[in-house]
Amino acid sequence: MNHSKAASIFNKDEKKVDWHDKALWFVRHKRDKAVHAVEGWESLRNYGHGIKAHTLSNLDNYLIQFEENALKNGVQVHWAANGDEHNKIVHGILKEHNAKKVVKSKSMLTEECHLNPFLEADGIEVIDTDLGERIVQLAKESPSHIVLPAIHKTKEEVDELFQEHLGTKPSGGDPQYLTGEARKHLRKKFISADAAITGVNFAIAETGGFVVCTNEGNADMGAHLAPVHIACMGIEKLIPKQEHLGVFLRLLARSATGQPITTYSSHFKKPVNGNKMHIVIVDNGRTEQLSRPDFRASLHCIRCGACMNTCPIYRRSGGHSYDATIPGPIGSILSPGKDLTKHSSLPFASTLCGSCSDVCPVKIDIHSQLYKWRQIITKETPQPFVKKTSMKMMGKVFAKPMQFERIGKVARWSLRNLPKGVINSKPNVWGKERDLPSGPTESFDDWYKKRKDNEQ
Amino acid sequence: MSSREHILSRAKANKPDLLELPNLDLNVFVDGRDLIKEFKTKIEVVGGNVVDVVVKENVISQVSSLFPDTKANFSTLEGTQDFNTISLEALNKPHELEDLDILILESDIGVAENGALWLSDNQIPIRVLPFITKHLVLVLNKENIVPFLHQAYQKIASSETDFGVFISGPSKTADIEQSLVIGAQGALSLTVFIY
Ligand code: SF4
């Protein structure tokens, strides 16, 4: 289903759309307050961009260095060319340790690889332990946002889910009560888990260590209690040195939620005696994206979600309408790189207002990359008949100024005089969900000439 | 070809020409703030509590009056045998820490810009401790407050760390309709004693 069709499903509940829009704008606002309080924020963004660009330009060597150091630290390193291989590796490690119960802390990579169904098919219990992720897991949905996975759910919906699955009392959606119940439920899972899976926010070539950021402490509760810790990372998570964390940790949480830093920024390097630590390094299309000069900067992304919170389209269409693990502006750059035909509508799900690029902590030129995808897609994938024909017609009209002037006159008159029912009729997609302005009496051309005359 | 070779050779073939690593000029961030004041404000912003003590020896008595009648207590401060009700040596598995009420640890780096405190394996006898405890108390000397994360990493660089964590506030979540709830999977409260 294309983006606009999927969005129209979300748009059916107008009140919820308004609420979704406001909730995300609130987070965007918190981000603004936080970053305005940082002296040198723009330099920090430039450093973030520069460090990532440098790392990508030397990626193979940094990967080798990272592996070497991780091995020295007593960590086992695995490589996966695609999602399927990643799943098999994780499954193999779990089998080897006879692990039946797994606690997972938030990782968009394992979502991308569809790890949960793969493991569940073999009878392994996988519990997502980030509260938002647990909520969507109970609802049998996917996250609709990379930082706020359950942002599309109201508290009443969570209340019902918890009653059904965790046996809670009806509370009218009291967040304090529900979080407390989830804590009890998840603590049981942490205590009984055989293995823990986490994502990786940053991996450090110089030390072979990696950093995981959470507000809930779920990654740590999992990793320190279970005898086996598997960390899954995309190759783009690498940074050269530990000191560079100073740049990225300052950027990440402020951009994500307006916090000065996440509650827990955990630096894992060596397993404790007797325990096992594994790292799975995953490509799954990333080296392909690296080969595209126009789009490789999308690999700088540190998954803060700021571009989603600010995007006027995302806020009003919901994350699920993107039909991809990473939704929103950055997802609309990454997804076509994986499957151009399936995701051909995503780069058009943007106003190109540039707000995404303005907030991006690592200065990805998101909106210009979206524009570039549009040009490629228009050339390479079949376009809808209406769009193609109307574009052709417009081209002809623009080529003949006299004709353009005549049509303009009719259009202006119509906008002023025809009843709304006629103007907003079906063929006019611009009249969908909005009123068109009243037509001006003179054309821009006339106005401009008059202005010139007055100047003289 | 193994996936390792495959990924490495593709990364090598597809990467752009080498770009320089930027040199960080930390002077661009200097904002002249009062470090101790900023640190305390940030701890409160992220949901923690700050207590000023004159000497470290007073921490235990203050903790006891803040959290009366707790059953399972543990501290790494010197001379706190009376306070400690559990012995780590007697534990079979870290899972037995599930009912720990209060944990007191010392930190040697505090970051003013975000109220975060650094703990590493040197200060954490069992890694899960600061996460599994109900209430976490951290003790920090004023002298050890640095302005930004950059300076914290300069200090950390000199020590060999197998596991380390910046903790800023109690565990929290806003996953239910964006209302902030303190106390998710980790510690329910954080109190920082500064001396
Ligand atoms: S593209 Fe930039 S703004 Fe969007 S999630 Fe990634 S880092 Fe954040």
Side-chain angles (χ1 to χ4, degrees):
Chain A
M1 201 186 305
N2 71 33
H3 176 268
S4 66
K5 270 206 193 110
S8 65
I9 299 170
F10 184 74
N11 282 337
K12 277 194 187 123
D13 188 346
E14 217 173 291
K15 259 172 79 186
K16 198 165 174 183
V17 176
D18 282 348
W19 172 82
H20 188 263
D21 175 29
K22 283 204 187 89
L24 286 158
W25 188 249
F26 173 70
V27 185
R28 151 77 209 260
H29 191 69
K30 284 204 293 188
R31 172 257 171 216
D32 288 352
K33 269 175 73 179
V35 310
H36 291 150
V38 176
E39 182 68 42
W41 178 257
E42 288 307 310
S43 305
L44 202 58
R45 288 177 75 207
N46 284 330
Y47 289 148
H49 180 94
I51 296 166
K52 282 282 180 182
H54 162 80
T55 315
L56 290 178
S57 78
N58 192 30
L59 189 60
D60 50 332
N61 293 321
Y62 280 130
L63 283 167
I64 293 169
Q65 191 191 356
F66 174 74
E67 178 189 44
E68 215 175 83
N69 287 321
L71 291 171
K72 257 190 238 157
N73 295 334
V75 179
Q76 295 186 45
V77 181
H78 313 259
W79 300 77
N82 52 44
D84 192 44
E85 194 178 5
H86 159 268
N87 294 346
K88 284 183 183 144
I89 291 170
V90 174
H91 181 244
I93 301 169
L94 295 175
K95 279 269 135 182
E96 186 192 324
H97 295 283
N98 202 17
K100 289 257 173 333
K101 293 177 174 178
V102 180
V103 283
K104 205 173 100 205
S105 106
K106 203 158 117 352
S107 140
M108 295 317 291
L109 176 66
T110 58
E111 282 291 327
E112 175 188 319
C113 301
H114 306 290
L115 177 68
N116 288 17
F118 188 91
L119 298 179
E120 282 156 2
D122 190 36
I124 296 172
E125 180 191 74
V126 190
I127 301 290
D128 284 323
T129 58
D130 171 272
L131 180 57
E133 289 245 307
R134 187 69 186 130
I135 292 169
V136 291
Q137 188 181 33
L138 291 175
K140 300 200 169 51
E141 291 174 15
S142 56
S144 71
H145 187 288
I146 58 174
V147 174
L148 318 158
I151 184 76
H152 60 288
K153 288 238 170 286
T154 62
K155 54 184 192 229
E156 290 79 13
E157 287 170 309
V158 177
D159 196 80
E160 272 174 36
L161 267 176
F162 278 23
Q163 285 180 49
E164 188 188 336
H165 296 276
L166 311 184
T168 53
K169 294 182 301 216
S171 72
D174 176 4
Q176 186 82 45
Y177 168 74
L178 293 171
T179 304
E181 291 300 304
R183 177 184 170 95
K184 282 187 220 156
H185 159 73
L186 288 170
R187 284 232 155 186
K188 276 189 214 131
K189 300 292 179 189
F190 286 124
I191 296 290
S192 61
D194 306 313
I197 298 175
T198 69
V200 166
N201 287 89
F202 305 99
I204 304 124
E206 180 194 35
T207 65
F210 59 93
V211 171
V212 181
C213 305
T214 73
N215 277 324
E216 298 180 16
N218 51 317
D220 289 277
M221 282 295 284
H224 304 313
L225 285 173
V228 184
H229 175 187
I230 307 171
C232 305
M233 63 173 267
I235 51 171
E236 84 286 11
K237 295 285 166 173
L238 218 53
I239 58 172
K241 292 180 177 182
Q242 178 159 284
E243 67 183 61
H244 297 134
L245 286 169
V247 172
F248 292 107
L249 292 187
R250 294 189 73 193
L251 289 168
L252 179 63
R254 289 186 173 96
S255 302
T257 56
Q259 289 170 253
I261 187 171
T262 46
T263 305
Y264 303 101
S265 311
S266 300
H267 300 54
F268 295 90
K269 205 164 96 185
K270 288 184 191 167
V272 287
N273 263 346
N275 284 10
K276 295 274 181 290
M277 211 184 262
H278 295 260
I279 295 173
V280 189
I281 302 175
V282 184
D283 182 342
N284 206 26
R286 286 159 177 79
T287 51
E288 185 71 31
Q289 190 78 334
L290 185 64
S291 74
R292 304 179 175 114
D294 283 346
F295 302 107
R296 64 165 64 108
S298 61
L299 296 170
H300 295 190
C301 177
I302 57 171
R303 305 283 190 261
C304 72
C307 57
M308 292 155 211
N309 303 342
T310 201
C311 178
I313 306 285
Y314 176 91
R315 281 186 275 122
R316 291 171 183 80
S317 59
H320 286 150
S321 66
Y322 292 79
D323 193 16
T325 310
I326 310 285
I330 183 66
S332 301
I333 298 172
L334 297 171
S335 303
K338 295 202 154 160
D339 187 339
L340 193 64
T341 318
K342 180 179 171 206
H343 298 294
S344 66
S345 67
L346 293 186
F348 296 89
S350 166
T351 62
L352 298 187
C353 65
S355 185
C356 44
S357 308
D358 280 343
V359 296
C360 179
V362 282
K363 283 202 153 181
I364 302 173
D365 53 336
I366 305 175
H367 71 293
S368 47
Q369 292 191 32
L370 289 172
Y371 176 66
K372 284 175 191 158
W373 267 133
R374 287 187 187 187
Q375 290 169 307
I376 295 171
I377 286 163
T378 315
K379 266 195 220 122
E380 289 181 14
T381 66
Q383 294 300 300
F385 175 76
V386 178
K387 197 172 190 176
K388 233 167 43 190
T389 329
S390 60
M391 282 296 168
K392 236 182 234 157
M393 270 161 56
M394 285 308 277
K396 281 191 184 139
V397 173
F398 283 138
K400 295 195 186 116
M402 290 282 283
Q403 204 178 341
F404 178 68
E405 172 59 15
R406 270 207 303 278
I407 292 175
K409 228 176 232 159
V410 175
R412 287 193 298 280
W413 184 88
S414 309
L415 277 175
R416 284 199 310 275
N417 296 303
L418 291 183
K420 210 169 135 186
V422 177
I423 293 171
N424 281 7
S425 58
K426 254 219 158 135
N428 176 19
V429 285
W430 285 101
K432 230 169 134 185
E433 311 285 340
R434 59 162 93 76
D435 283 334
L436 293 181
S438 166
T441 45
E442 57 182 355
S443 70
F444 176 77
D445 219 23
D446 292 339
W447 172 84
Y448 189 74
K449 274 183 202 139
K450 238 199 283 167
R451 188 168 162 270
K452 274 265 168 229
D453 289 346
N454 286 346
E455 263 176 20
Q456 279 158 10
Chain B
M1 193 165 26
S2 72
S3 291
R4 180 184 184 275
E5 304 315 317
H6 182 74
I7 295 169
L8 289 175
S9 67
R10 284 178 57 96
K12 189 171 183 173
N14 295 348
K15 69 184 182 181
D17 293 341
L18 189 67
L19 294 162
E20 281 217 31
L21 185 60
N23 272 327
L24 307 189
D25 172 11
L26 299 187
N27 290 319
V28 298
F29 305 123
V30 176
D31 61 5
R33 282 186 214 205
D34 177 335
L35 292 190
I36 299 175
K37 209 170 122 201
E38 182 71 8
F39 182 64
K40 289 182 184 170
T41 313
K42 282 291 153 62
I43 290 178
E44 275 156 11
V45 164
V46 297
N49 311 304
V50 188
V51 181
D52 274 299
V53 281
V54 186
V55 287
K56 213 159 72 172
E57 285 67 37
N58 290 347
V59 168
I60 293 291
S61 65
Q62 295 221 28
V63 168
S64 304
S65 60
L66 276 175
F67 302 95
D69 307 322
T70 49
K71 281 193 211 79
N73 308 331
F74 184 77
S75 143
T76 56
L77 292 179
E78 271 172 47
T80 55
Q81 290 79 357
D82 292 348
F83 175 80
N84 290 5
T85 54
I86 60 165
S87 137
L88 298 187
E89 284 80 52
L91 290 181
N92 296 312
K93 290 201 302 181
H95 302 70
E96 292 165 19
L97 291 163
E98 208 194 342
D99 297 318
L100 181 62
D101 292 309
I102 295 184
L103 171 74
I104 309 176
L105 297 175
E106 287 187 76
S107 161
D108 54 12
I109 306 173
V111 188
E113 67 160 324
N114 52 29
L117 293 100
W118 174 253
L119 295 172
S120 74
D121 272 344
N122 299 334
Q123 292 102 10
I124 318 174
I126 296 176
R127 284 186 192 174
V128 80
L129 272 166
F131 311 97
I132 203 168
T133 183
K134 282 198 195 73
H135 303 284
L136 176 62
V137 175
L138 297 177
V139 184
L140 180 81
N141 187 329
K142 279 193 189 82
E143 310 270 298
N144 289 328
I145 299 175
V146 298
F148 302 109
L149 277 171
H150 309 291
Q151 289 84 0
Y153 279 109
Q154 285 168 354
K155 286 184 109 181
I156 293 166
S158 58
S159 65
E160 180 63 19
T161 313
D162 295 346
F163 171 77
V165 57
F166 280 113
I167 297 186
S168 152
S171 153
K172 52 176 118 21
T173 177
D175 273 337
I176 299 174
E177 272 206 16
Q178 283 304 290
S179 10
L180 184 71
V181 178
I182 301 282
Q185 324 319 333
L188 297 168
S189 81
L190 170 72
T191 310
V192 182
F193 282 82
I194 306 179
Y195 67 96

